[in-house]
Amino acid sequence: MRTSSKSQSHSEDSPGWLRPATNGCSRVDESDRKRTSTSLSVIVPAYNEGYLVETSLARLKILRESPLLHLVQVIVVDDGSKDGTAEAIARFRKSVESEVHSDKLGWTWIRHDKNQGKGAAIRTGLSRVDTDLVVIHDADLEYHPRDLLQMVELFLYEDADAVFGSRFMPGGYKRAIFFRHALGNQFLTFLCDAVCDLNLTDMETCYKMVRADLLKSIPLESSTFDVEPELAIKLAKRGARIFEVPISYSGRTYREGKKIGWKDGVRALWAILRYGVSSRIYTEDAHGGEILERLNRAPRFTRWMADVVRPYVGDRVLEIGAGIGNMSMHFMPRSIYWATDMNPNYLNYLETLRMARPYMRVGYTDGMKAESFPTGQNFDTVVCLNVIEHVPDDLSALRNIRDALSDGGRAIILVPFGPRLYGTLDEVLGHCRRYTEEQLAAVARDAGFEVEQILKFNRPGVPAWWLNGKILRRKNFGLGQVRLLNVLTPIFRLIDPWLPLPPLSIIAILRKQTNLRGMQPADARAAS
């Protein structure tokens, strides 16, 4: 965590100021929960607010007085204003540059050549964020930054992922105007709640404070005010812990410069419908999060796989490559259950599952790095599904898994079957290989395992994989296909043992050898 920053104001092209973003694992560190302060970025989209923007920005100086914030970064984005906004921002910038600076408050100045909309301004500002938290602050005077301080508290003491400032919760004041506007706002909030299964009171609020690493991992597509429902829906789909606090609101009339109108309400309605069915809630990354989310739309298939594996799962379990815990939920509760992954976004999500499960632990584990495995544990089972095919050195990964097991413990390894099926879908998923039974058994024995049995799984999936990956050369899974898979899974379960087809996957049930301890795997086989 950052503890200091440069004190001077910063322009868009200031070199060396923005540090690399954190890896998103901060919530996994127990000591981080006990912190008493954090850092905040405030993104200020400004469009034709020449009369108000200086006062609005000046209000943000109240944040540097809070002991809850050791760093505040204000990112002002002039979204192609055509009035005197640019000149007003220049005057304010000159005034802060002439002040005696502290180490706490920094400014970044950005301008769009053309007006692109609030969502586009937020995306531009987000690319400059290098703090723990981020919030949006409009350049008018409808919201007051002092309300941000009570929002920060929930990140420090309640492990929040996002905090919305509600204009409709009791506790703050609000200007009494626009009955029909408020009614429409409540209607849109109701629809959003229905889509998300939430109970928000103010979805359209500007004050949405979010963990910066989480927000950066969400692909924001909207360019106008419809970014508000998009963000709420995608946070909900990511399983974020969302809180609301009452804030004050001094709304303005259209004669005073209010910009949002009935067309924005129509756009918000369309956004609720659009993002309610969308599965694009992860930015594209090396971990394939966006692909995993789409596959998660087939819970019946996940349950089928879990039912096949569950009889072999013991009581002290390490799961490698747990993702967002869809499979883990089928294996819990256990005396001890470690759910691990390499993707920081998944680790943050798994942390939310852990809060109500005292037997669950969450951690970073790289199958190729023995030092990343949990230490001081006594695992009787390692579950590793759809992981080994991703690593370049599967032998080393299996040896690390063997070392994590107690004597006589089991490893459950699921991998894709059939080298001849390797195609574009394997490439996009990052598969280094597909296995035959003989190949998997051989590498398992080299790693020091006894092969108890190898199960064949999902024969009905072979034609679809062959058609999409070999013939059509597709590089993604159609949402319609995934939903169809979910519908047909009960039939697949019934016919799977009887189809005269090779399986799409194989599951090796491996036992850690105990009678040949101390020997290298090759020597052990010779001795036997």
Side-chain angles (χ1 to χ4, degrees):
M1 179 182 297
R2 283 171 43 164
T3 57
S4 64
S5 174
K6 291 186 178 180
S7 59
Q8 70 264 26
S9 298
H10 307 281
S11 65
E12 178 183 6
D13 58 353
S14 297
W17 177 54
L18 295 177
R19 295 179 174 85
T22 60
N23 65 6
C25 295
S26 59
R27 297 178 61 215
V28 182
D29 185 357
E30 292 294 336
S31 63
D32 193 51
R33 301 177 188 278
K34 301 175 182 178
R35 58 186 177 172
T36 57
S37 69
T38 186
S39 55
L40 174 68
S41 286
V42 183
I43 299 175
V44 186
Y47 177 65
N48 288 351
E49 296 290 357
Y51 297 108
L52 302 179
V53 65
E54 290 180 83
T55 304
S56 180
L57 294 175
R59 283 182 172 184
L60 292 170
K61 295 179 182 180
I62 194 175
L63 299 177
R64 65 185 174 194
E65 300 174 8
S66 171
L68 300 179
L69 296 169
H70 60 256
L71 176 67
V72 180
Q73 173 189 3
V74 181
I75 304 170
V76 183
V77 184
D78 179 1
D79 189 29
S81 298
K82 298 179 176 64
D83 65 349
T85 299
E87 291 77 9
I89 291 176
R91 286 194 301 270
F92 182 81
R93 177 178 179 177
K94 185 176 181 180
S95 70
V96 296
E97 287 175 346
S98 64
E99 293 177 353
V100 177
H101 304 293
S102 69
D103 290 333
K104 195 168 187 176
L105 183 61
W107 302 84
T108 298
W109 316 95
I110 305 172
R111 175 173 169 81
H112 287 166
D113 293 333
K114 297 181 180 179
N115 176 247
Q116 301 177 38
K118 181 176 182 178
I122 291 172
R123 286 194 295 273
T124 297
L126 192 59
S127 68
R128 308 300 199 274
V129 167
D130 181 28
T131 51
D132 298 315
L133 308 177
V134 60
V135 71
I136 314 304
H137 171 75
D138 283 347
D140 52 40
L141 302 178
E142 293 188 329
Y143 297 81
H144 201 291
R146 62 172 170 263
D147 289 321
L148 298 177
L149 300 179
Q150 62 176 330
M151 299 170 70
V152 170
E153 290 182 2
L154 290 172
F155 291 92
L156 294 175
Y157 310 129
E158 291 293 341
D159 207 23
D161 292 312
V163 179
F164 291 7
S166 172
R167 298 164 291 177
F168 301 115
M169 290 178 68
Y173 66 78
K174 65 177 182 293
R175 183 180 178 185
I177 54 174
F178 291 143
F179 168 75
R180 289 184 295 274
H181 186 276
L183 199 63
N185 192 313
Q186 292 169 9
F187 175 67
L188 291 173
T189 297
F190 169 78
L191 292 179
C192 184
D193 284 347
V195 167
C196 301
D197 193 24
L198 295 176
N199 60 345
L200 296 172
T201 62
D202 189 6
M203 173 273 293
E204 287 282 359
T205 178
C206 166
Y207 271 4
K208 293 181 174 72
M209 188 178 293
V210 188
R211 285 192 299 105
D213 60 307
L214 172 60
L215 186 54
K216 284 186 172 185
S217 72
I218 295 176
L220 295 179
E221 304 168 63
S222 302
S223 292
T224 58
F225 288 101
D226 51 347
V227 71
E228 307 293 0
E230 178 189 6
L231 181 54
I233 290 171
K234 290 186 175 182
L235 283 170
K237 287 188 174 184
R238 286 285 296 270
R241 286 169 53 84
I242 303 174
F243 291 78
E244 281 189 306
V245 297
I247 62 171
S248 302
Y249 179 64
S250 182
R252 56 180 177 168
T253 66
Y254 287 103
R255 285 193 300 176
E256 293 170 325
K258 191 172 188 67
K259 296 181 178 66
I260 192 167
W262 67 268
K263 291 182 180 179
D264 296 294
V266 173
R267 292 190 187 98
L269 179 61
W270 168 245
I272 292 172
L273 299 175
R274 175 187 176 187
Y275 298 116
V277 299
S278 173
S279 63
R280 191 164 183 257
I281 61 174
Y282 287 93
T283 55
E284 295 184 5
D285 55 34
H287 306 286
E290 73 287 353
I291 298 174
L292 178 63
E293 168 56 27
R294 182 156 289 190
L295 293 176
N296 288 338
R297 297 298 185 97
R300 291 177 177 175
F301 182 81
T302 302
R303 189 181 308 117
W304 176 23
M305 185 184 296
D307 289 344
V308 172
V309 171
R310 190 182 297 105
Y312 305 96
V313 178
D315 199 45
R316 301 181 307 279
V317 182
L318 167 63
E319 183 181 3
I320 300 174
I324 59 174
N326 284 345
M327 191 66 65
S328 314
M329 299 298 291
H330 289 282
F331 299 146
M332 293 187 282
R334 303 283 163 169
S335 292
I336 185 71
Y337 198 101
W338 272 84
T340 69
D341 207 282
M342 294 173 58
N343 189 331
N345 299 321
Y346 299 163
L347 293 174
N348 283 318
Y349 186 91
L350 291 170
E351 277 289 311
T352 66
L353 301 180
R354 188 174 74 88
M355 293 173 188
R357 297 169 177 82
Y359 48 81
M360 184 179 177
R361 302 290 183 271
V362 175
Y364 173 96
T365 297
D366 181 346
M368 294 290 294
K369 299 177 180 178
E371 65 274 13
S372 70
F373 280 64
T375 58
Q377 303 297 319
N378 187 26
F379 297 114
D380 57 32
T381 310
V382 174
V383 177
C384 189
L385 310 179
N386 288 316
V387 173
I388 297 299
E389 67 273 16
H390 293 271
V391 301
D393 187 354
D394 52 358
L395 176 58
S396 294
L398 285 171
R399 283 175 175 168
N400 291 334
I401 290 172
R402 180 187 181 278
D403 291 341
L405 285 165
S406 57
D407 289 346
R410 275 197 181 116
I412 304 170
I413 310 296
L414 184 146
V415 295
F417 176 81
R420 292 183 179 180
L421 282 175
Y422 192 95
T424 53
L425 292 179
D426 294 281
E427 293 173 1
V428 75
L429 285 170
H431 292 172
C432 296
R433 67 194 73 81
R434 300 183 70 91
Y435 289 83
T436 65
E437 291 184 58
E438 294 75 17
Q439 289 170 340
L440 182 57
V443 71
R445 293 191 183 99
D446 286 343
F449 283 107
E450 173 189 350
V451 180
E452 288 190 352
Q453 57 181 313
I454 294 182
L455 310 175
K456 298 179 180 180
F457 178 73
N458 190 18
R459 295 173 181 86
V462 168
W465 191 276
W466 176 79
L467 176 64
N468 283 283
K470 297 289 288 186
I471 303 302
L472 300 179
R473 307 288 293 174
R474 289 181 174 171
K475 295 187 176 181
N476 56 50
F477 297 91
L479 188 57
Q481 289 182 320
V482 174
R483 288 174 172 165
L484 182 62
L485 169 64
N486 191 52
V487 171
L488 295 178
T489 290
I491 298 175
F492 287 176
R493 294 186 67 160
L494 291 174
I495 67 175
D496 184 46
W498 312 105
L499 284 181
L501 291 173
L504 193 60
S505 301
I506 51 177
I507 305 170
I509 311 300
L510 309 176
R511 179 79 69 172
K512 180 177 179 177
Q513 298 184 36
T514 59
N515 58 333
L516 299 171
R517 295 177 63 183
M519 295 185 179
Q520 295 297 321
D523 298 333
R525 290 198 307 276
S528 61

